[in-house]
Amino acid sequence: MRLKKVLIIAEAGVNHNGDLETAIKLIDVAAEAGADIVKFQTFKAETLVTSEAPMAEYQKNNIGMNGGSQFNMLKKLELKPEYHHALIEHCRKKNIKFLSTGFDVASLDFLKTLGMGIWKIPSGEITNLPYLERLAATGDPIILSTGMADLVEVRDAVKVLTSKGTPLSKITVLHCNTDYPTKMSDVNLNVMATLGADLGVAVGYSDHTMGIEVPIAAVALGATVIEKHFTLDRNMEGPDHKASLEPHELKAMVTSIRNIEEALGVSQKIPTQSEFKNRAVARKSLVAKVNIKRGEVFSEENLTVLRPGTGISPMRWYEFLGKTAARDYSINELIDE
């Protein structure tokens, strides 16, 4: 039985391109779409990568560069500390929760001063022991992405979190594939069930496929959290825009997820109230196949089964065969007790 709605995280990430006005517009889009959380990324390039760390292939492809360093790219994508306050205030006005992922310990400490209350660990930090320990000590709810990790690494990360102060009940593990965009053949959505059974945690899905069908399917398979990148325009310059949803797509995803979670309902097989009125119309009753005289014996020759279902249930067919008619029946008349 599903007790609470799916938490939908609209991942703005670095799609603001370092511009406050663009970041505010992203909040507006996420709120209009009906997402629960709009999430950004907090980092300093100097404390995230070395000056010579190369870009990923998808980053080179998406920003049209054959070479270059992560550092130069990320420096342009930093969310300035002073921007955070403006974005948090705008989120309050739009009735959507602000969240940002810190990519280093210093950023975590800064975000803690802003009263996050919930934390999102990106896939790249799943093997960062000092980082995991710092977050675990907060005792706050934690959402852990698992892209690029095997099951042993996920177990190790969860063990660090629980041993350093975070109860298992406050941990949600997201299945994720860290390729942008992720090919359908690499999604492996059934891993969600494996993670839940092995770790004893709530599970969800962080999606990098093109389109919205996979996160919707994840909800049908039991995801309690969905995270999805979005942008104002996929043609904008930057590493993540091309693998992000545009505003109308984000809204369609949220609407579809809400429909699916409502359709999942409860686990008991019982008729709904809306069905009861159709029982008499769709079900059948024992009916006189021909005119039957009082005293005649009911048989397969003079009984049949027809709609409506307001008479004797056909499940009692053999109970009535061989009985004697207590009165006359006309053809197509419902048999009674």
Side-chain angles (χ1 to χ4, degrees), residues 54-101:
M55 288 190 288
E57 285 302 316
Y58 82 88
Q59 293 170 336
K60 295 176 187 177
N61 294 335
N62 290 350
I63 64 176
M65 293 180 62
N66 294 322
S69 67
Q70 276 196 64
F71 182 90
N72 291 334
M73 175 190 69
L74 291 172
K75 195 64 186 172
K76 300 174 184 177
L77 301 174
E78 291 177 353
L79 192 64
K80 294 180 181 178
E82 59 268 27
Y83 287 179
H84 289 69
H85 300 282
L87 296 179
I88 290 171
E89 181 57 31
H90 195 67
C91 283
R92 286 198 192 100
K93 292 177 182 177
K94 291 295 180 175
N95 197 30
I96 187 170
K97 184 173 177 61
F98 172 89
L99 184 63
S100 189
T101 292

Side-chain angles (χ1 to χ4, degrees), residues 119-158:
W119 302 92
K120 169 66 201 306
I121 299 175
S123 294
E125 306 306 321
I126 197 169
T127 58
N128 186 343
L129 181 60
Y131 178 102
L132 297 175
E133 289 182 332
R134 182 66 62 94
L135 277 189
T138 68
D140 293 330
I142 288 176
I143 300 170
L144 170 68
S145 274
T146 60
M148 304 174 288
D150 60 32
L151 185 56
V152 172
E153 290 174 320
V154 180
R155 286 175 184 161
D156 288 345
V158 170

Side-chain angles (χ1 to χ4, degrees), residues 12-26:
V14 295
N15 283 344
H16 49 77
N17 289 353
D19 178 64
L20 178 60
E21 185 178 342
T22 301
I24 287 174
K25 289 178 180 177
L26 286 165

